[in-house]
Amino acid sequence: MLTETKPITQQAPAPKSPLLEKVLPHVELIAAGICGLLILTGWLLDHYHSEALSTISYILAFIIGGFAKAKEGIEETIENKALNVEMLMVFAAIGSAIIGYWTEGAVLIFIFAVSGALETYTMNKSHKEISALMNLQPEKAWKVMADGSVELIPVASLSINDRILIKPGERVPADGRILSGETAIDEAAITGESLPVTKNIADEVFAGTVNMSGSVTVEITKNADETLFQKIIALVQSAQSEKSPAQAFIEKFEGTYVKVVLAIVVIMMFLPHFVLGWSWNETFYRAMILLVVASPCALVASIMPATLSAISNGARNGILFKGGVHLENLAAVQAIAFDKTGTLTKGNPSVTDIYVKEGYKKETVLLYAASIENHSNHPLAKAIVESAAATIQKPLLAIANVQNSSGWGVTANIDGVEWKIGKADFVGASEAKSFHASIYDQLSLEGKTVVFIATNDEIIACIGLKDIVRKETQAAIQLLKDYQIHTLMLTGDSEKTAHAIAKESIVHEYIAECLPEQKVDHIKALKNRYGIVAMVGDGINDAPALATAQVGIAMGGGTDVALETADIVLMKNDLPKIAEAIKLSKRMNRIVKQNVVFSISVIMLLIISNLLQAVDLPFGVIGHEGSTILVILNSLRLLRS
């Protein structure tokens, strides 16, 4: 019943009048309405004994109401070389007319046209988010010329490394990096997050987002057709055209079922006359009713509208599904494995503790340490520099003679004093581990990395750093536990650090000192224990594990890599979205089951009623097509959040 979804292209549409643009999306519903009026006219003319005019009115109702579905059915039959439910409806309507049941045949066409219009509405509704996204990307941009002037040019003519000016209130025309200025960007079109994000120099901005406050100059980093925005559109389009296993089965089943129904209808045209003594008219009439009520319209429409609605709902909320199969599988997940860094944690270490020897000022020690560490690109060094910037209102010192001992620490000479910053073994293991009442052991048990500071071989301070667990992690894991889903953390960190993070994250279990290639083995072991398993990672070094799990979920954060590696992408690094995705998947599967059970029950009830001669053609038409409409309306509930 439902046709395959067609990709939306971004070609410029031919100019249309405003009236035509309003009418076109509803043309099938308008045709159904005209069909209904013609049926009413035909019935009134027949009532007043204008039989010829009544027949003409019914014929017009057949043509206007049935044209779209008849055309669709004929084209698909020729293309696939197999009959479909549309053709069954056409045969039933024509058969009804042949035996003089013009009203019943026309009513069948009318309700079939209404259900077809509703299907089209479902398709249009499911594509609405994509169409809305496509309309968000501006067609022109302010290009900054070599002499500093700005010129309004088409976005399509922008190239990588071009500079553009984005004014307050304007949409970002292309992916790029801020060269100057500061602003807040509304990234709802990308991440689903309604709160604006502050952007400074060197921060990335994405096409389709909105510049809320300040003017910024941006350097283009991607061509217009390669932006993250375009990739999201392509991904959702692809997802909507990909069939879930249940949908693929139903469509395969439909072809066989239609042939069986036609064969039984042919037998019904003759057998009851000879076996049960029915008149030829009654036999043919009952065969036509069987043709109507046995058609699997509602069954065929049980899955696709629900899948499309769920995918659209997810896309609107920053959850991108790469196909119905992943959406369907997610509801059956029994265990989820999490990468630690960047998934359960923020991915960047932060200073949590600073202990200074008596007689030294914390601010002074931190200022010197940050000034030295500013010469290093190590994540721990960056964390110390950021901590100093946030707590000390003084500029860093200019230090020229900093030496880096890779993997150990840094050394610098300041006013004749040798400073060492690094591991315990680098500054003096025994002294370090006994510093400040053995604070080293305490911080280590808390899963923190300890950096020591020494001057002339005297340890004067230590700094505790930790990759902070995301504030939403515990809530997200608890939501999964409420679904009876087992949670596992995979990390390359030491046993102590892994234990501390796992305890704080409230996951069921953890595996420490796990190399990237070992994650695949652990995922396989988890599959053997629990069956359907999901893996959550950052979409880069977790790609093998994401591919091994039945469902790979990437913490997107707006990255291209995440879009390419996982089955499901959380466009904002928001762990509770996983539980939302599971809830959406369970809702979809529940609605699909409701639709399938309901549609099969109605078909069986109508078939039995027909064999018992307890249902006439009008009621058979209403029961059959009405069930199709109810199934589609039930699926549309998934569009609501």
Side-chain angles (χ1 to χ4, degrees):
M1 189 93 176
L2 283 169
T3 56
E4 185 178 350
T5 56
K6 306 294 184 186
I8 300 176
T9 61
Q10 217 174 355
Q11 294 176 348
K16 299 186 183 80
S17 68
L19 178 61
L20 191 60
E21 287 184 348
K22 289 181 180 179
V23 168
L24 277 179
H26 309 291
V27 67
E28 288 188 48
L29 187 60
I30 292 170
I34 294 173
C35 174
L37 290 173
L38 287 168
I39 292 170
L40 179 61
T41 303
W43 180 82
L44 290 171
L45 289 170
D46 185 49
H47 185 71
Y48 289 104
H49 308 293
S50 300
E51 210 170 301
L53 292 175
S54 172
T55 302
I56 292 172
S57 183
Y58 283 134
I59 290 173
L60 289 173
F62 270 64
I63 294 171
I64 294 173
F67 175 79
K69 281 297 176 184
K71 179 175 179 289
E72 180 184 310
I74 293 169
E75 287 177 349
E76 287 190 10
T77 297
I78 295 171
E79 182 181 346
N80 301 325
K81 297 180 175 59
L83 291 170
N84 47 54
V85 292
E86 282 79 9
M87 293 309 298
L88 290 187
M89 291 298 97
V90 171
F91 294 153
I94 293 173
S96 300
I98 289 173
I99 58 175
Y101 288 89
W102 284 98
T103 305
E104 288 82 353
V107 169
L108 170 60
I109 290 294
F110 168 69
I111 301 181
F112 197 50
V114 171
S115 66
L118 192 56
E119 289 173 9
T120 301
Y121 170 80
T122 305
M123 296 294 186
N124 291 340
K125 192 78 174 174
S126 70
H127 286 312
K128 190 175 182 180
E129 282 76 22
I130 303 176
S131 300
L133 276 177
M134 291 171 64
N135 292 332
L136 293 181
Q137 189 162 9
E139 295 180 358
K140 295 192 175 183
W142 293 102
K143 181 178 178 180
V144 180
M145 312 306 288
D147 60 0
S149 62
V150 292
E151 182 180 332
L152 191 62
I153 65 168
V155 171
S157 65
L158 290 174
S159 302
I160 294 175
N161 297 327
D162 281 351
R163 291 184 300 153
I164 57 173
L165 176 67
I166 307 172
K167 302 175 183 179
E170 293 182 341
R171 290 196 177 273
V172 178
D175 287 9
R177 188 180 298 106
I178 295 178
L179 294 177
S180 65
E182 178 182 336
T183 187
I185 300 286
D186 179 357
E187 295 187 338
I190 298 291
T191 66
E193 173 58 55
S194 58
L195 294 177
V197 180
T198 301
K199 298 283 185 176
N200 297 297
I201 293 173
D203 287 341
E204 288 186 316
V205 294
F206 303 109
T209 58
V210 182
N211 181 18
M212 301 293 290
S213 51
S215 293
V216 289
T217 301
V218 172
E219 181 183 47
I220 303 299
T221 55
K222 291 178 184 173
N223 291 320
D225 58 348
E226 297 173 343
T227 63
L228 175 66
F229 190 76
Q230 290 298 321
K231 289 185 178 182
I232 291 173
I233 292 172
L235 186 151
V236 180
Q237 287 176 347
S238 174
Q240 291 187 328
S241 62
E242 181 182 322
K243 298 179 178 66
S244 68
Q247 179 66 25
F249 171 78
I250 288 292
E251 291 188 5
K252 186 177 180 181
F253 167 79
E254 177 192 352
T256 303
Y257 183 88
V258 167
K259 293 174 185 176
V260 171
V261 168
L262 284 175
I264 294 175
V265 167
V266 170
I267 294 172
M268 277 287 294
M269 286 180 175
F270 303 98
L271 193 63
H273 174 74
F274 296 106
V275 176
L276 302 176
W278 292 0
S279 67
W280 281 112
N281 194 61
E282 178 70 10
T283 300
F284 194 81
Y285 180 64
R286 289 294 159 191
M288 290 303 99
I289 295 176
L290 179 64
L291 189 58
V292 172
V293 302
S295 296
C297 295
L299 185 60
V300 172
S302 294
I303 299 172
M304 184 62 82
T307 303
L308 293 178
S309 297
I311 289 174
S312 297
N313 186 325
R316 189 173 64 247
N317 290 287
I319 306 169
L320 301 186
F321 298 94
K322 285 193 176 180
V325 59
H326 312 303
L327 182 57
E328 190 174 306
N329 286 341
L330 191 60
V333 165
Q334 298 297 310
I336 299 181
F338 292 87
D339 171 52
K340 179 187 79 72
T341 306
T343 302
L344 295 176
T345 65
K346 292 183 177 180
N348 297 309
S350 300
V351 172
T352 57
D353 307 270
I354 302 176
Y355 293 89
V356 178
K357 188 175 181 178
E358 190 175 348
Y360 291 86
K361 288 186 176 181
K362 183 185 292 186
E363 291 78 8
T364 303
V365 172
L366 184 57
L367 176 62
Y368 275 82
S371 300
I372 295 169
E373 292 284 27
N374 195 38
H375 292 263
S376 172
N377 288 322
H378 194 280
L380 297 179
K382 290 182 177 179
I384 292 172
V385 173
E386 288 173 1
S387 177
T391 57
I392 302 174
Q393 304 301 318
K394 292 182 181 179
L396 296 179
L397 306 175
I399 301 173
N401 55 348
V402 177
Q403 294 180 345
N404 191 353
S405 299
S406 182
W408 293 97
V410 293
T411 306
N413 193 289
I414 305 174
D415 298 330
V417 178
E418 184 184 54
W419 286 70
K420 281 187 176 182
I421 306 174
K423 294 181 176 179
D425 291 338
F426 183 63
V427 300
S430 59
E431 294 85 355
K433 293 180 180 179
S434 62
F435 173 77
H436 215 293
S438 301
I439 194 66
Y440 175 82
D441 293 331
Q442 179 186 329
L443 294 176
S444 296
L445 285 174
E446 294 173 0
K448 297 174 182 177
T449 301
V450 184
V451 172
F452 290 93
I453 303 171
T455 58
N456 290 336
D457 295 328
E458 177 192 7
I459 297 175
I460 62 170
C462 74
I463 299 175
L465 301 101
K466 187 178 180 181
D467 187 2
I468 303 298
V469 172
R470 295 179 185 275
K471 62 181 180 180
E472 69 271 14
T473 293
Q474 280 196 13
I477 298 300
Q478 187 57 53
L479 287 170
L480 297 176
K481 287 182 175 181
D482 292 343
Y483 281 122
Q484 306 298 313
I485 294 174
H486 184 80
T487 54
L488 167 71
M489 182 184 78
L490 300 174
T491 178
D493 285 344
S494 65
E495 175 68 26
K496 286 183 179 179
T497 301
H499 176 78
I501 296 294
K503 184 178 180 181
E504 192 175 345
S505 302
I506 69 169
V507 293
H508 286 102
E509 63 174 316
Y510 66 92
I511 297 174
E513 299 176 3
C514 178
L515 298 175
E517 58 268 24
Q518 293 174 329
K519 289 183 180 180
V520 172
D521 297 329
H522 291 304
I523 293 295
K524 289 179 179 177
L526 204 61
K527 288 166 72 174
N528 291 333
R529 286 167 57 192
Y530 292 96
I532 306 296
V533 170
M535 169 69 190
V536 185
D538 59 16
I540 303 173
N541 60 350
D542 296 313
L546 290 170
T548 303
Q550 283 96 338
V551 181
I553 304 173
M555 300 287 285
T559 62
D560 291 351
V561 177
L563 290 175
E564 294 165 4
T565 56
D567 305 316
I568 299 170
V569 181
L570 308 181
M571 288 309 298
K572 183 172 177 283
N573 289 344
D574 190 358
L575 279 173
K577 291 283 187 184
I578 298 174
E580 284 186 33
I582 292 173
K583 181 180 179 181
L584 181 61
S585 175
K586 288 181 179 292
R587 279 182 63 203
M588 185 198 78
N589 284 357
R590 184 168 61 250
I591 284 176
V592 165
K593 287 176 184 176
Q594 291 171 358
N595 290 346
V596 170
V597 170
F598 175 72
S599 58
I600 291 176
S601 299
V602 170
I603 290 172
M604 296 305 298
L605 178 63
L606 290 174
I607 289 174
I608 293 170
S609 299
N610 182 46
L611 293 176
L612 296 175
Q613 296 179 291
V615 64
D616 291 331
L617 187 57
F619 292 105
V621 168
I622 293 170
H624 177 265
E625 291 301 322
S627 67
T628 304
I629 291 173
L630 288 175
V631 158
I632 296 173
L633 289 174
N634 192 39
S635 297
L636 284 175
R637 292 193 295 129
L638 283 164
L639 286 170
R640 299 200 306 266
S641 298

